[in-house]
Amino acid sequence: MKISEKLLQVKEIYKTYGEGQSETAALKGITLDVFPGEFLGIMGASGSGKTTLLNCIATMLKPTSGQILLEGENISSFKGDQLAIYRGSKIGYLFQEFELLDNLTARENIILPMSIHGEDPKKQEVHLQKLAKQLDIEEVLNKFPSQMSGGQKQRVAAARALISNPSIVLADEPTGALDTKNAKKLMGKLSSINQTEVATILMVTHDANAASFCSRILFIQDGVIFHEIRRKVPGETQNAFYERILTVMAQLGGGNNNVL
Amino acid sequence: MFFDFIKRNSRRTRKENGIYFASLVVSVVAFYVILSLGDQNVMKYLKTLESDAVAKLLLMIPMLYMVSLFFVFFLVYCANKYQLQRRRHEFGIYLMMGMKGSKLFTMIMAETLWSGLITLFIGIPISLFLTELISLATSRLIGMDIIGYEFSISWLGLGLTMFGFIVVQILAVFILSLKMMKEEPVDFLNEQKEKVQKVLSTKWSFVNLFIGVLLLCLAYVLSVSSLDRVIFMMTELILLIGIAGTFTLFRGLGNLIGKWVKDKSNLSTGLFVFTGRQLQENVLHQWGSLAISSLLMLMAMIFFTYGISMPLAQGKESRSVDFTFEGYENSERDIISVVSSDKLSSYIKDYYPMKIGIVSTPYEGMPKDTVTHDFSWAELEELTSREKDSEDKEYLLRDLSSYKDSPYLISLSSYNSLLKSINKTPILLEDGEVALYSDEDRFSYTHNILRRVLKSNPTVSIDGQQYELFSTLYTSNIVADRAITLAYALIVPDDMYNDLVDDQENPPRWNMVLDSNFVQEKGLMQATHEIDKLLSPTGLKYESYLASMGRQLFYIVAGSYITFYLGVMFLIISNTVLGLKFLMQQRSTRHRYYTVSILGASIKSLCSSARTQIWWYFGLVMSVALISSIFGFRYMVKVLLPSGSSLANSTTGWIAAIVLAAFMIFEICYIWTIQRKSDEEIKKLKEID
């Protein structure tokens, strides 16, 4: 795939909940593209629709109308087995609460998506070891989640999201349950994997710090894309980008345009 | 309005959680079945025959009621725990909306009471139907159509059933709600998370496993080695070791599964690891329940086999005489005038004298003028002792030796009258020939040996003269009174009988056979009862076949009934506990299924994983119970069935096989039910499609 080709195309996505008078629109015609190797952040206030958007892309929620094309395939129209094939292999997930299976060891958790898709886990051993090294979780591979720290758990979850070389990794507030130190460590690792492995990551977050690791950020408000910023490469430092993010967030939260 | 709310919730519960509701209905049935025992048809009749024994049994009922209360409490507690766990989120919402804890408590208790009443409304008709069915089946099992069928309701039983059930139900929910009230609303609102994965020391758990297997093997070896002779307290010791072994085995089993999953995880694909780890967790967290369920299943299987074996072990009762009148001087005239009277004659098929008497043999210190006869069946004993060694042979030799001092004789004409009345060919004895009689019902285990020995026509010696034994063994019951248990006797020609037996001391009895149409129409029980009513004013001394069989019949009926009852209860409780425990665990790990589905597992493969878990979960418990049952059956047959019972080993084997087959069918059906329930739960995860 050429870098200029679009990996993910979200076209005119609408999502409404309820019917009649109680109808609420969560997404009002969102359109966006994600390119291969991009680290895209989606930010917005609570209720802005960012998690609904991520869930639609993650195939956890079906949009009311519109299309979501992953590598040209309209995944929003998939059902049953087609969905199952895409989940875990083409799309990797990283959740706020890690969602590791407590009764599986770290190794078993990481290779679970491979096993589910019927791939020989032995063949992935090299990849597993490489990811473990990159994410600094080699020592916990044979441990159960209850024996790990929060940071280790989330890095194991990251390895699970990446093990099958998915086309895109979707991360929902991945630093939400971590302390600052572990959040920074995780983001550093994700960012490095994004750059070295050309892994595409789409992350929803509240956290400006976490978002400063992204190459592009979309701001959503009331179900529509409100603003977009890009990190200037080369030249702009992470700190400078962080400052810019805070400025946009301030406008979003209390700017003149948003006074009710 | 509050009441409407409760009714609505209760209706929803019944609709959504059939397993919960079915468990409650089972509890109601369990109570009524045991409490109505005293009012069952068979028992009612037995009371008239064996009031002492029945009274003793009825004294046992309160104890059984208490045992039932305990087990049913266990069942109801589990069922309610599952039900309340399902509704935690809903309760959290009520609390957040401002409902007071006390009001929520009242609501739960009121719902429990309402559900309880509806359960009783449905459970009681089922109980009535079932007890009638059991009553019929029990009478069938003892091999006779003795029931003139009557529908009966035990009002006291009903009252105690309602009381027991409501108390158990309220107490269980009370304890559960009290525990729940201590939690914060946030604990309700968050899906209950699973317990933290226990990481036991592998070494320790393998030690457990090893000790468990060792103890179980020890119990098996002890049960086999004590088959030859029963040692005092051995049963208790075996039970203790077996129970300890089962618990320790299940304690150590979890890590064995873990090791197996770990070893295989690098080679397997699909949801193997997930399935294995879920199973491991179930076993690790619930080893106690698994062990209890396994032991309950084992007991259920053994009780069923025992319940069936016991009536069969008594042999098929062959009724050849319905009434026997006691003989006395000039009794013939009185008896004939009664049985040939207009009132009775239409019910009677036949009546005839039955001459049975003891030959007096010499004994130490007897008065000088006593008339005695020399008797010996040494050749019969000698030939028997040459037979292949067996337990049955030992019993036969012991019996022959004990009868030789007081041998019984039956006159040929009497026995032929009996044979004629049951449409069998009469005996024709040549000069110098006598025939051997032995009771078919209680001593049939020696008959094969006797028949073989008789083929070589051994002789018996009476007053120095040799008589050849006829090659056929005669086994048709001779009387209906207590002489029915006569083990061995010689059938001799009338002249010889008159010479050897003193008629004064052994006045002839009279046998009476009822008209078969009359018996068929009324059932033996009713028919006997009616004739009883006609005979009792006559002042004649008599016994009926049913009365003399009463005690035995009683033990069979009571024993079968109680063992069956306990068997059914144990089976249902063990399965319900297992099923509910699995579903509860599945529910508390619901989010894992969700995560795995997000990682790409289809709903179909998740259902299939849960189905596999259920097979293994039940399979582990069942297989330990099955292995133990092989030894349990053998031990039970040896220790619990009457010694020298007529039940051949092969028959017990067949019964055990049938019980096993029925058990497997029941288990498979139950497993399917739980699997369907599990599928339903998993399909709820399907948020897209």
mmCIF file of all heavy atoms in Angstrom, chain B residues 558-573:
data_model
loop_
_atom_site.group_PDB
_atom_site.id
_atom_site.type_symbol
_atom_site.label_atom_id
_atom_site.label_comp_id
_atom_site.label_asym_id
_atom_site.label_seq_id
_atom_site.Cartn_x
_atom_site.Cartn_y
_atom_site.Cartn_z
ATOM 1 N N ALA B 558 -40.582 -49.657 51.885
ATOM 2 C CA ALA B 558 -40.015 -48.505 52.575
ATOM 3 C C ALA B 558 -38.586 -48.253 52.113
ATOM 4 O O ALA B 558 -38.195 -47.122 51.835
ATOM 5 C CB ALA B 558 -40.062 -48.743 54.071
ATOM 6 N N GLY B 559 -37.833 -49.342 52.031
ATOM 7 C CA GLY B 559 -36.429 -49.209 51.632
ATOM 8 C C GLY B 559 -36.302 -48.635 50.233
ATOM 9 O O GLY B 559 -35.559 -47.687 49.998
ATOM 10 N N SER B 560 -37.084 -49.200 49.292
ATOM 11 C CA SER B 560 -37.029 -48.720 47.905
ATOM 12 C C SER B 560 -37.404 -47.253 47.829
ATOM 13 O O SER B 560 -36.766 -46.453 47.165
ATOM 14 C CB SER B 560 -38.011 -49.473 47.022
ATOM 15 O OG SER B 560 -37.542 -50.745 46.814
ATOM 16 N N TYR B 561 -38.482 -46.949 48.549
ATOM 17 C CA TYR B 561 -39.026 -45.598 48.483
ATOM 18 C C TYR B 561 -38.004 -44.571 48.963
ATOM 19 O O TYR B 561 -37.710 -43.586 48.292
ATOM 20 C CB TYR B 561 -40.275 -45.531 49.363
ATOM 21 C CG TYR B 561 -41.112 -44.308 49.148
ATOM 22 C CD1 TYR B 561 -42.167 -44.342 48.252
ATOM 23 C CD2 TYR B 561 -40.847 -43.129 49.818
ATOM 24 C CE1 TYR B 561 -42.947 -43.231 48.043
ATOM 25 C CE2 TYR B 561 -41.614 -42.008 49.612
ATOM 26 C CZ TYR B 561 -42.668 -42.064 48.717
ATOM 27 O OH TYR B 561 -43.426 -40.960 48.508
ATOM 28 N N ILE B 562 -37.446 -44.863 50.129
ATOM 29 C CA ILE B 562 -36.524 -43.886 50.712
ATOM 30 C C ILE B 562 -35.252 -43.774 49.892
ATOM 31 O O ILE B 562 -34.756 -42.680 49.629
ATOM 32 C CB ILE B 562 -36.228 -44.243 52.184
ATOM 33 C CG1 ILE B 562 -37.506 -44.041 52.985
ATOM 34 C CG2 ILE B 562 -35.106 -43.391 52.752
ATOM 35 C CD1 ILE B 562 -37.439 -44.524 54.388
ATOM 36 N N THR B 563 -34.735 -44.920 49.441
ATOM 37 C CA THR B 563 -33.501 -44.839 48.659
ATOM 38 C C THR B 563 -33.755 -44.120 47.335
ATOM 39 O O THR B 563 -32.942 -43.322 46.896
ATOM 40 C CB THR B 563 -32.898 -46.226 48.376
ATOM 41 O OG1 THR B 563 -33.936 -47.086 47.989
ATOM 42 C CG2 THR B 563 -32.176 -46.777 49.563
ATOM 43 N N PHE B 564 -34.897 -44.391 46.727
ATOM 44 C CA PHE B 564 -35.216 -43.699 45.478
ATOM 45 C C PHE B 564 -35.349 -42.202 45.711
ATOM 46 O O PHE B 564 -34.842 -41.392 44.958
ATOM 47 C CB PHE B 564 -36.527 -44.241 44.897
ATOM 48 C CG PHE B 564 -36.291 -45.080 43.704
ATOM 49 C CD1 PHE B 564 -35.974 -46.419 43.839
ATOM 50 C CD2 PHE B 564 -36.342 -44.531 42.431
ATOM 51 C CE1 PHE B 564 -35.724 -47.196 42.734
ATOM 52 C CE2 PHE B 564 -36.093 -45.308 41.325
ATOM 53 C CZ PHE B 564 -35.785 -46.645 41.476
ATOM 54 N N TYR B 565 -36.043 -41.893 46.784
ATOM 55 C CA TYR B 565 -36.261 -40.478 47.098
ATOM 56 C C TYR B 565 -34.939 -39.759 47.280
ATOM 57 O O TYR B 565 -34.684 -38.710 46.667
ATOM 58 C CB TYR B 565 -37.103 -40.379 48.377
ATOM 59 C CG TYR B 565 -37.112 -38.998 48.968
ATOM 60 C CD1 TYR B 565 -37.852 -37.987 48.367
ATOM 61 C CD2 TYR B 565 -36.354 -38.691 50.086
ATOM 62 C CE1 TYR B 565 -37.848 -36.716 48.890
ATOM 63 C CE2 TYR B 565 -36.342 -37.416 50.612
ATOM 64 C CZ TYR B 565 -37.093 -36.430 50.006
ATOM 65 O OH TYR B 565 -37.074 -35.174 50.512
ATOM 66 N N LEU B 566 -34.083 -40.355 48.115
ATOM 67 C CA LEU B 566 -32.798 -39.711 48.369
ATOM 68 C C LEU B 566 -31.976 -39.647 47.078
ATOM 69 O O LEU B 566 -31.310 -38.660 46.798
ATOM 70 C CB LEU B 566 -32.031 -40.460 49.463
ATOM 71 C CG LEU B 566 -32.623 -40.329 50.864
ATOM 72 C CD1 LEU B 566 -31.897 -41.223 51.846
ATOM 73 C CD2 LEU B 566 -32.572 -38.882 51.348
ATOM 74 N N GLY B 567 -32.058 -40.737 46.296
ATOM 75 C CA GLY B 567 -31.326 -40.777 45.029
ATOM 76 C C GLY B 567 -31.731 -39.628 44.118
ATOM 77 O O GLY B 567 -30.893 -38.890 43.612
ATOM 78 N N VAL B 568 -33.053 -39.459 43.947
ATOM 79 C CA VAL B 568 -33.549 -38.398 43.065
ATOM 80 C C VAL B 568 -33.131 -37.032 43.614
ATOM 81 O O VAL B 568 -32.647 -36.163 42.875
ATOM 82 C CB VAL B 568 -35.092 -38.463 42.932
ATOM 83 C CG1 VAL B 568 -35.633 -37.237 42.231
ATOM 84 C CG2 VAL B 568 -35.498 -39.710 42.166
ATOM 85 N N MET B 569 -33.263 -36.889 44.930
ATOM 86 C CA MET B 569 -32.940 -35.592 45.512
ATOM 87 C C MET B 569 -31.457 -35.270 45.328
ATOM 88 O O MET B 569 -31.095 -34.163 44.922
ATOM 89 C CB MET B 569 -33.300 -35.598 46.992
ATOM 90 C CG MET B 569 -33.606 -34.222 47.485
ATOM 91 S SD MET B 569 -34.398 -34.267 49.067
ATOM 92 C CE MET B 569 -33.029 -34.599 50.118
ATOM 93 N N PHE B 570 -30.611 -36.250 45.599
ATOM 94 C CA PHE B 570 -29.172 -36.009 45.463
ATOM 95 C C PHE B 570 -28.811 -35.689 44.023
ATOM 96 O O PHE B 570 -27.995 -34.814 43.746
ATOM 97 C CB PHE B 570 -28.383 -37.230 45.939
ATOM 98 C CG PHE B 570 -28.405 -37.407 47.429
ATOM 99 C CD1 PHE B 570 -28.173 -38.643 48.011
ATOM 100 C CD2 PHE B 570 -28.657 -36.325 48.267
ATOM 101 C CE1 PHE B 570 -28.197 -38.798 49.387
ATOM 102 C CE2 PHE B 570 -28.684 -36.471 49.640
ATOM 103 C CZ PHE B 570 -28.458 -37.715 50.199
ATOM 104 N N LEU B 571 -29.445 -36.417 43.100
ATOM 105 C CA LEU B 571 -29.120 -36.213 41.687
ATOM 106 C C LEU B 571 -29.512 -34.803 41.255
ATOM 107 O O LEU B 571 -28.728 -34.089 40.613
ATOM 108 C CB LEU B 571 -29.864 -37.253 40.845
ATOM 109 C CG LEU B 571 -29.495 -37.291 39.376
ATOM 110 C CD1 LEU B 571 -28.051 -37.734 39.221
ATOM 111 C CD2 LEU B 571 -30.389 -38.253 38.613
ATOM 112 N N ILE B 572 -30.716 -34.403 41.639
ATOM 113 C CA ILE B 572 -31.192 -33.081 41.220
ATOM 114 C C ILE B 572 -30.372 -31.977 41.876
ATOM 115 O O ILE B 572 -29.952 -31.021 41.219
ATOM 116 C CB ILE B 572 -32.697 -32.934 41.533
ATOM 117 C CG1 ILE B 572 -33.463 -33.835 40.566
ATOM 118 C CG2 ILE B 572 -33.154 -31.491 41.390
ATOM 119 C CD1 ILE B 572 -34.928 -33.885 40.782
ATOM 120 N N ILE B 573 -30.103 -32.155 43.167
ATOM 121 C CA ILE B 573 -29.349 -31.106 43.855
ATOM 122 C C ILE B 573 -27.941 -30.995 43.277
ATOM 123 O O ILE B 573 -27.467 -29.895 42.982
ATOM 124 C CB ILE B 573 -29.317 -31.361 45.377
ATOM 125 C CG1 ILE B 573 -30.725 -31.156 45.931
ATOM 126 C CG2 ILE B 573 -28.332 -30.432 46.065
ATOM 127 C CD1 ILE B 573 -30.885 -31.454 47.375
#
